[in-house]
Every structure is written in structure tokens, then in C-alpha cells.
Amino acid sequence: MNTIKPVEELTFTDDFMFTTIMKDKEICKELLERLLKIKVSNINYPVAQKSLAPFFETKGVRLDVYVDDGKRVFDIEIQTYIPEAIGKRMRYYQSILDMDSLQKGSVYTELKETYILFICTNDPFGRDLPVYTFKNRCIEDGEVSNDDKSTKVIYNATSYAKEKDSQIRAFLQYLCNRSSTDDFTNKIDQRVEHFKLSERFKGDYMFVKLHEWEMKEKAKKEGYEEGFESGREKGIQVGIQQGISEGSEQTKIETARNLLKYGDPIEKISVITGLSLEKVQQLQEEINNQN
């Protein structure tokens, strides 16, 4: 329980605080316009922590903030650690967004323009750039675009001082050291302090974190039990093999008979007992005749 961060210590970069504040349509809209330098006509139903899983066999994802302005789809993620395989993660998120759109009755020619934004408090590439923007372009000729209407942007707060755009720089600086230097970051900081004093926010936060903690404990317990059982079975096999190697020919034959009765493959029994395939087959025939 002491692993749950106290409400008083939360900042804008904590996922629960981030998703709560981003439910504010005005803040969400202004953030997108500042970071992407585009006009967002309207925010239609910004959804925090949206879960997407197109098929029951696939790995679902939980998006921090999913926004649809009617013409474009935006996924905004806050990252306080460097995600493993960030490129592949963004690629998977892109595929899930597209599949979610297609499931609503669209054909691929009607796919909306998409933006995936990863706002990071650390540099995932170590190149000291404040912004990394990725689009599909031809390697042989950089002027040729695949024009798939997808953009992926990674913001690195630690290099905020190198950002030339004052609005982006102010936002990244706020993420880095909580120093609010313009009206927008002041607004965000005020909202952070407001929620930290809100009893409803505190209750919601503790409910979610307790649930997450319980799920992690359950997963650890199940993982431990599964690992224990797997280790137990492996230990039994090792013990059998050790006993067989040290035992007599008769011991090997009795072990083979028992394994045959349980339906184990002849090849596997031959390997475990050290008996030849012919001998194991002979034992199988004897058991069949007895039945």
C-alpha cells in the first residue's frame, strides 16, 4: 500500500492527474493547438483512459487521452519513463486506432487523419532534441510522402531549453521543473492544485490506485503459483531422470510402463528413460495385449 503516491505529491505528469485535467475541453484543445500548430475546430467527447481491443485475441491498449474532432483522431500519452520499444508501441497504437475506426463502418479510404503524441519527461533517443516528429516519407527522395495521414510526435521535456517555439518551450519546461511561465501553464498548474484539494478527486484517485494495486498483487500471486507449479513439474522430471540414470534396467522399464499408461508419446519416454524406441514399443504392445 505504501507504493501508492500520496495525492499531495501528484503533478501534471502523473497519469491520473493528466487524464483528469485533459477532460477539460478547453485545455485539451489548447494543448493540441500549441503542440501541433494546427487549428482544432472542436473537441468531440475527449475520452480519458480509453480501452481499445478490436478482437478478443489481440492485445488491447489503454490510451491516456483519445480525442476526435470530427476530421482527425488524436491519442495523447504521458510517459514518465522511457517506454520499451517506443517505435513499435506507436506503430501498434496506430493500427489499433485505424481498426477502431474501420469497425465503425468506414472503408480504408475514409480513415481519419491521426496524430499520436507521446509527451515524455525523459529523452527516449538520447539525441537531446525537444521534439521528434515522424512521418512516412520515401527514403530515396525525401520530398515524396506516402500521404497516409498519420503523424507521430514525441516531446522530450528535458531538452525544453533548445525548443525555439515559445509556447512549446513553456509547456515542456513546466513538465520538467513545474515552473509555469505563461498563461497556459499557469492554468494547468492551478487545475493541479485544485484537484489535489478536491475530496471527490482524492476518492476517485484512491479507488483507481487501490484497484490497480489489487490487480498487480493478483497477477503476482498467479504468476508465482504458475511458476511454482511449472518448477514443480520440471523438478519431478529431473528427479525421474536422475533416479532412472542411477537405477536398474527394471526401474527404467517400470517407469516406461507407468508413462505409457498416462499416454505419454513413445519418443518422449525413450528420451526420459534411456530405453530404445524398440523396447518402448514392445512395452506398449504388451500393455495393449493385457487390455
Side-chain angles (χ1 to χ4, degrees), residues 191-257:
R191 296 296 288 167
V192 170
E193 296 305 314
H194 165 76
F195 283 119
K196 284 161 68 172
L197 297 175
S198 168
E199 293 302 323
R200 178 174 179 178
F201 175 86
K202 292 179 182 178
D204 291 344
Y205 172 73
M206 289 306 299
F207 175 81
V208 169
K209 290 303 174 182
L210 283 171
H211 178 69
E212 289 178 354
W213 180 81
E214 288 174 351
M215 291 299 100
K216 288 179 181 178
E217 289 299 306
K218 180 181 178 182
K220 284 198 298 185
K221 181 180 179 182
E222 291 175 350
Y224 172 80
E225 291 175 349
E226 182 179 343
F228 178 81
E229 184 61 28
S230 175
R232 176 176 171 273
E233 291 178 2
K234 188 176 295 184
I236 290 172
Q237 290 296 327
V238 170
I240 290 174
Q241 289 177 308
Q242 183 177 348
I244 288 170
S245 65
E246 297 173 354
S248 64
E249 182 74 10
Q250 186 59 37
T251 301
K252 296 179 182 181
I253 292 173
E254 290 302 319
T255 301
R257 286 180 180 276

Side-chain angles (χ1 to χ4, degrees), residues 42-45 66-74 112:
N42 187 39
I43 295 291
N44 295 324
Y45 311 111
Y66 176 83
V67 177
D68 185 339
D69 78 341
K71 300 180 297 182
R72 295 163 296 201
V73 174
F74 305 90
K112 294 180 180 179

Side-chain angles (χ1 to χ4, degrees), residues 145-198:
S145 170
N146 196 30
D147 197 30
D148 62 354
K149 303 299 181 184
S150 67
T151 303
K152 302 174 182 67
V153 191
I154 298 173
Y155 299 90
N156 164 33
T158 60
S159 299
Y160 71 86
K162 290 191 173 183
E163 175 56 47
K164 296 179 179 179
D165 183 279
S166 61
Q167 292 185 329
I168 297 178
R169 183 173 63 249
F171 177 70
L172 295 181
Q173 181 179 358
Y174 176 68
L175 297 182
C176 189
N177 56 29
R178 296 184 61 188
S179 174
S180 53
T181 58
D182 65 2
D183 290 343
F184 182 61
T185 52
N186 283 334
K187 185 190 300 183
I188 292 176
D189 200 52
Q190 289 172 5
R191 296 296 288 167
V192 170
E193 296 305 314
H194 165 76
F195 283 119
K196 284 161 68 172
L197 297 175
S198 168

